[in-house]
């Protein structure tokens, strides 16, 4: 039997592989990384009052730690320690394995693991028991379990539940019907779904219809949702409960409109967002089963009385006079409020889309239509880089591409320069060399631009850096106000490939056009060193860079019943949304706001009847495509209602 040594978290050191015990303080369920592997991030703590962030990868999600909740006790074998953002970080090393225990004091000592065999001694059992007691007394980190009966509007919570049915709503969302044995006190938004499309027992769906809630799952969670089996016990992390007003009720203008509760699992992994499948023998599932059995009994006893009451209430509703439906619908359409407003051209007569299609370009039109679809569905893909000089559009370089280019620069610089360089100051900057704490043990050269100020804080300073990786560049950008990545492969400092941002300023990454730029040596910046602040446009001009602009580019599929057409939204998109494309790239709150706006304009769970009307200006024009002329349409002079002053 092998004796394993476990290192307290306050004793770990960089560059070593260790075994540790700890209590989960934060975690993200396994999710697919940008590569082919799955990833799980876990933060653990122990009685030494230190924490350790762990980033674990595997080609199989089932091989990653089966963590169910904050407070679970973990045992990790063979994790490698490295420095990341001036903190210790652990990654899974070859032979990594894990045991996960329920953190509840007195819970069965049965670990969750993918290992076929493992060693667990009396000493290990004592360690788990001590960590359970410590976590429950000295360091309270357990999150309260919230039932559906206690959910509050605008709340984010973890839901332990059973899956009753599921259905694919569209390519961007999956519907999960779940229950936890309690009844939500709020009126519920029922997602329109074809019974034939629902995967589940029709009898169960009908029998539990008053106890189930609909959860819409988006984006990167769709793959996990599609893999779920009906009847599975789940924990859905970071569900968003929202009170909404259905679009049909908004359009009817009814004074009796009652907000309904909607449950959504948004895209991304922030705040541990995700789905975990629970084993049937875990303590939380045993409690859930008791709740479900109790609810089933009560539900069967009261089903008849509730059904009779509903029939009675329905029979008392007044009916509309015959023939009133069509005229009322016509009046309703004419008086519906638009979700968008015009900023000009209000004098133009409204045209139907068929009239627009029949008109020869170029022409400007005022229309009233519904947004029945749009592209791209993944909204982060709608932000592009645009050159106002050559009018080219390009994708924002991804992290993997930038990191590869930076590593190539490092490799090239290391073979072209003195292996033991000494700092070389210039008239307008001071140079220092840092030793990077990673496997490569490479050097980072930092040139701090001199200013007239006696003291200058990092957030107001400008630095030129050589030999950085992507992670180091991100870390520096959080500390310094302006960063210019450079290389010294020639006798003077020069810019890198323009796929690498030429400037990072106040958290924003700025790129230059490869076709229209004429990059100059960094010495061209010397006259600016005495300036109080360095403006983006001035830096770009001095360095010979044609600045690329962040823009939204989207395609709207519009329909008004008479016809349909595709219209582009791009050069006035920021004004349309009231959101900066450059800001949305780095701001999670703005990303959520953009998602909310698009879900309002084109609700993902309804057909055209549930979409609001949009009043827009569109213009038609010809675009040459090879030897042919293609007619295109573009939205202009239109903004979201309420954003007129932006």
């Amino acid at each position: 039997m092998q004796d394993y040594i476990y290192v307290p978290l306050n004793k770990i050191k960089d560059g070593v592989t260790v075994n540790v015990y700890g209590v989960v303080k934060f975690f993200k369920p396994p999710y697919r990384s940008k590569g082919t592997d799955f990833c799980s991030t876990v933060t653990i703590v122990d009685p030494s009052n230190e924490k350790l962030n762990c980033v674990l990868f595997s080609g199989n999600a089932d091989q990653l730690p089966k963590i169910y909740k904050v407070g679970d006790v973990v045992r990790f074998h063979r994790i490698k320690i490295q420095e990341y953002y001036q903190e210790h970080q652990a990654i899974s090393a070859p032979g990594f394995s894990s045991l996960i225990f329920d953190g509840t004091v007195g819970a069965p000592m049965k670990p969750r693991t993918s290992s076929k065999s493992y060693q667990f001694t009396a000493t290990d059992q004592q360690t788990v028991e001590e960590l359970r007691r410590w976590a429950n007394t000295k360091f309270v980190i357990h999150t309260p379990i919230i039932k559906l009966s206690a959910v509050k509007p605008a709340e984010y919570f973890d839901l332990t539940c059973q899956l009753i049915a599921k259905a694919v709503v569209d390519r961007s969302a999956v519907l999960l019907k779940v229950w936890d044995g309690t009844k939500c006190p709020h009126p519920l938004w029922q997602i329109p779904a074809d019974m034939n499309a629902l995967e589940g027992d029709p009898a169960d769906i009908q029998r539990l219809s008053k106890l189930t809630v609909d959860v819409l799952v988006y984006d990167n969670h769709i793959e996990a949702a599609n893999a779920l089996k009906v009847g599975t016990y789940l924990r859905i992390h970071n569900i968003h409960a929202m009170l909404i007003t259905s679009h049909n009720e908004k359009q009817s203008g009814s004074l009796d409109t009652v907000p309904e509760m909607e449950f959504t699992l948004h895209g991304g992994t922030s705040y541990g967002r995700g789905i975990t499948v629970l084993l049937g023998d875990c303590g939380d599932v045993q409690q859930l089963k008791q709740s479900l059995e109790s609810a089933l009994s009560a539900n069967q006893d009261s089903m008849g009385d509730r059904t009779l009451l509903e029939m009675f209430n329905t029979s008392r509703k007044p009916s509309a006079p015959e023939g009133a439906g069509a005229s009322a619908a016509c009046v309703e359409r004419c008086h519906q409020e638009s979700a968008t407003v015009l900023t000009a051209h209000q004098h133009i007569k409204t045209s139907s889309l068929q009239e627009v299609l029949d008109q020869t370009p170029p022409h400007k039109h005022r229309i009233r239509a519904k947004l029945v679809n749009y592209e791209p569905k993944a909204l982060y893909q709608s932000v592009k880089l645009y050159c106002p000089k050559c009018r080219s559009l390009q994708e924002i370089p991804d992290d993997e591409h930038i990191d590869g280019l930076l590593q190539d620069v490092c490799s090239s610089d290391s073979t072209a320069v003195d292996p033991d360089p000494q700092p070389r100051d210039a008239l307008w900057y001071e140079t220092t060399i840092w030793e990077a704490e990673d496997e490569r043990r490479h050097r980072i050269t930092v040139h701090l631009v001199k200013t007239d100020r006696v003291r200058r804080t990092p957030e107001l300073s400008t630095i030129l850096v050589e030999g950085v990786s992507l992670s180091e560049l991100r870390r520096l950008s959080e500390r310094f106000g302006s960063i210019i990545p450079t290389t010294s492969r020639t006798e003077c400092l020069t810019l890198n490939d323009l796929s690498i941002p030429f400037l990072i300023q106040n958290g924003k990454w700025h790129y230059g056009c490869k076709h229209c730029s004429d990059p100059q040596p960094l010495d061209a910046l010397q006259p600016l060193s005495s300036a109080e602040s360095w403006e983006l446009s001035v830096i770009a001009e001095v360095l010979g860079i044609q600045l690329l602009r962040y823009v939204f580019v989207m395609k709207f599929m519009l329909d008004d019943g008479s016809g349909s057409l595709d219209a582009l939204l791009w050069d006035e998109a920021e004004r349309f949304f009231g959101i900066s494309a450059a800001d949305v790239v780095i701001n999670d709150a703005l990303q959520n706001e953009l998602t909310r706006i698009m879900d309002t304009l084109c609700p993902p769970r309804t057909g055209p009847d549930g979409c609001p009307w949009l009043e827009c200006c569109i213009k038609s024009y010809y675009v040459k495509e090879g030897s042919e002329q293609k007619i295109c349409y573009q939205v202009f002079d239109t903004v979201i209602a309420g954003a007129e002053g932006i």
Side-chain angles (χ1 to χ4, degrees):
M1 181 181 293
Q2 181 177 355
D3 291 330
Y4 289 98
I5 297 175
Y6 297 94
V7 182
L9 299 186
N10 65 340
K11 300 294 184 182
I12 59 176
K13 298 180 179 179
D14 293 343
V16 298
T17 300
V18 297
N19 309 316
V20 298
Y21 268 101
V23 179
V24 176
K25 185 177 182 180
F26 172 81
F27 74 102
K28 293 183 180 182
Y31 58 92
R32 191 173 291 280
S33 66
K34 289 186 177 180
T36 57
D37 285 351
F38 288 89
C39 176
S40 179
T41 58
V42 188
T43 300
I44 61 175
V45 293
D46 72 359
S48 70
N49 291 323
E50 287 293 327
K51 70 174 183 177
L52 178 63
N53 298 320
C54 308
V55 182
L56 312 171
F57 291 92
S58 175
N60 184 351
D62 291 334
Q63 297 298 317
L64 291 170
K66 294 176 171 57
I67 298 172
Y68 287 173
K69 60 184 177 182
V70 169
D72 278 353
V73 176
V74 305
R75 187 185 84 177
F76 291 160
H77 278 187
R78 292 173 288 278
I79 55 173
K80 185 176 180 180
I81 307 301
Q82 60 185 18
E83 184 180 338
Y84 183 72
Y85 280 46
Q86 298 180 324
E87 291 185 348
H88 286 130
Q89 181 190 73
I91 59 174
S92 45
F96 168 79
S97 65
S98 65
L99 298 182
I100 315 297
F101 299 86
D102 189 324
T104 306
V105 174
M109 196 65 64
K110 184 176 181 180
R112 303 187 288 272
T113 182
S114 58
S115 302
K116 294 181 179 178
S117 61
Y118 56 87
Q119 181 175 307
F120 190 71
T121 65
T123 302
D124 289 305
Q125 180 170 336
Q126 181 180 352
T127 300
V128 173
E129 290 173 344
E130 289 174 352
L131 285 173
R132 283 174 170 174
R133 288 193 293 269
W134 171 78
N136 281 273
T137 57
K138 298 293 179 78
F139 196 83
V140 180
I141 56 177
H142 291 282
T143 54
I145 296 176
I146 296 179
K147 296 280 191 178
L148 289 173
S149 58
V151 171
K152 299 176 182 177
E155 186 171 41
Y156 288 87
F157 67 103
D158 294 353
L159 176 64
T160 304
C161 56
Q162 184 185 31
L163 179 63
I164 297 300
K166 66 175 186 175
V168 175
V169 178
D170 54 34
R171 286 184 296 178
S172 67
V174 171
L175 163 65
L176 303 181
K177 285 185 174 290
V178 300
W179 72 315
D180 72 350
T182 67
K183 191 175 188 306
C184 180
H186 304 279
L188 297 175
W189 170 252
Q190 297 293 326
I191 310 302
D194 186 351
M195 285 297 294
N196 295 325
L198 279 173
E199 180 183 337
D201 187 335
D204 285 343
I205 296 172
Q206 179 62 34
R207 179 168 56 117
L208 301 175
S209 61
K210 301 300 179 183
L211 293 174
T212 55
V213 298
D214 291 353
V215 179
L216 273 178
V217 175
Y218 287 101
D219 299 339
N220 55 297
H221 307 297
I222 289 177
E223 181 180 357
N226 282 330
L228 296 174
K229 295 181 179 179
V230 172
T232 301
Y233 299 103
L234 310 172
R235 179 164 286 131
I236 309 177
H237 305 274
N238 200 240
I239 288 183
H240 189 191
M242 300 178 288
L243 280 181
I244 64 169
T245 302
S246 70
H247 292 287
N248 289 334
E249 289 172 336
K250 284 181 181 178
Q251 294 169 1
S252 67
S254 171
L255 296 176
D256 299 327
T257 296
V258 177
E260 296 172 321
M261 182 74 81
E262 176 189 61
F263 296 95
T264 303
L265 181 64
H266 298 294
T269 61
S270 300
Y271 309 103
R273 199 172 295 144
I275 301 173
T276 299
V277 175
L278 305 178
L279 298 177
D281 58 355
C282 83
D284 289 339
V285 170
Q286 295 303 313
Q287 294 179 18
L288 175 63
K289 286 181 177 179
Q290 294 177 8
S291 178
L292 299 183
E293 290 170 1
S294 175
L296 266 180
S297 176
N299 189 56
Q300 290 171 348
D301 292 342
S302 60
M303 186 68 74
D305 292 341
R306 282 206 303 270
T307 303
L308 184 62
L309 181 60
E310 289 170 4
M311 292 174 60
F312 175 74
N313 289 336
T314 301
S315 68
R316 294 179 60 185
K317 291 182 180 178
S319 57
E322 290 187 9
S327 60
C330 182
V331 172
E332 176 190 339
R333 173 174 173 177
C334 294
H335 289 86
Q336 284 169 344
E337 290 186 4
S338 172
T340 55
V341 296
L342 308 182
T343 58
H345 313 294
Q346 290 89 346
H347 63 283
I348 298 178
K349 179 184 176 183
T350 302
S351 302
S352 69
L353 290 186
Q354 188 57 54
E355 291 172 332
V356 173
L357 293 167
D358 293 338
Q359 181 77 42
T360 302
H363 208 279
K364 294 181 178 180
H365 306 269
R366 176 182 177 181
I367 67 161
R368 185 178 176 83
K370 293 187 176 186
L371 179 62
V372 296
N373 205 351
Y374 63 89
E375 292 177 355
K377 286 293 187 182
L379 291 176
Y380 68 90
Q381 294 177 349
S382 67
V383 183
K384 313 288 185 186
L385 293 172
Y386 171 69
C387 177
K389 187 172 182 180
C390 66
R391 298 181 65 83
S392 63
L393 278 171
Q394 66 181 64
E395 299 291 338
I396 301 173
D398 60 38
D399 289 356
E400 186 175 352
H401 182 58
I402 296 174
D403 199 30
L405 290 174
L406 288 170
Q407 290 184 31
D408 291 342
V409 172
C410 289
S411 300
S412 178
D413 285 356
S414 65
T415 59
V417 299
D418 185 350
D420 187 23
Q422 297 300 315
R424 293 184 177 88
D425 294 340
L427 290 174
W428 59 288
Y429 60 72
E430 299 171 351
T431 302
T432 184
I433 296 176
W434 296 341
E435 198 78 25
E437 297 291 336
D438 61 11
E439 337 44 70
R440 295 183 293 154
R441 309 294 293 182
H442 67 285
R443 294 182 175 91
I444 301 173
T445 304
V446 178
H447 309 283
L448 177 64
V449 176
K450 299 177 182 178
T451 68
D452 293 336
R453 292 190 177 191
V454 177
R455 295 185 62 186
R456 192 161 204 177
T457 58
E459 57 268 23
L460 295 177
S461 300
T462 299
I463 61 171
L464 321 176
V465 293
E466 302 175 58
V468 291
S469 66
L470 179 62
S471 61
E472 290 158 351
L473 195 57
R474 290 193 186 281
R475 185 173 64 187
L476 290 170
S477 70
E478 293 179 354
R479 183 179 180 190
F480 293 93
S482 298
I483 301 175
I484 302 177
T486 65
T487 179
S488 57
R489 277 179 280 188
T490 60
E491 293 184 357
C492 58
L493 290 175
T494 58
L495 292 173
N496 295 300
D497 184 295
L498 290 182
S499 291
I500 299 171
F502 78 92
L503 173 68
I504 303 174
Q505 193 171 64
N506 299 324
K508 294 181 181 179
W509 294 46
H510 300 287
Y511 297 84
C513 178
K514 293 184 178 181
H515 306 293
C516 303
S517 298
D518 182 20
Q520 301 298 305
L522 271 294
D523 283 341
L525 292 173
Q526 181 174 348
L528 299 182
S529 60
S530 59
E532 189 71 13
S533 63
W534 288 28
E535 296 292 335
L536 168 63
S537 59
V538 175
I539 295 174
E541 182 179 357
V542 170
L543 291 178
I545 299 299
Q546 175 57 57
L547 189 64
L548 293 177
R549 194 159 55 89
Y550 287 91
V551 296
F552 292 106
V553 180
M554 301 187 72
K555 181 169 73 173
F556 282 5
M557 292 74 160
L558 301 169
D559 192 313
D560 69 347
S562 72
S564 61
L565 58 79
D566 295 343
L568 289 176
L569 173 69
W570 75 283
D571 61 344
E572 292 189 23
E574 289 190 336
R575 190 181 177 199
F576 178 89
F577 291 118
I579 296 175
S580 160
D583 289 338
V584 82
V585 173
I586 60 174
N587 190 310
D588 288 343
L590 290 179
Q591 293 171 18
N592 292 335
E593 176 62 8
L594 182 62
T595 299
R596 184 196 67 77
I597 290 173
M598 292 310 302
D599 284 351
T600 300
L601 300 183
C602 183
R605 53 195 169 273
T606 62
D609 290 340
C611 296
W613 288 94
L614 311 183
E615 191 167 17
C616 304
C617 288
I618 63 172
K619 55 187 175 184
S620 60
Y621 54 97
Y622 284 114
V623 173
K624 192 169 184 180
E625 200 169 70
S627 59
E628 298 181 356
Q629 295 267 20
K630 179 182 177 182
I631 300 176
C632 292
Y633 301 91
Q634 186 174 323
V635 177
F636 74 105
D637 283 347
T638 307
V639 298
I640 298 296
E644 300 93 317
I646 296 177

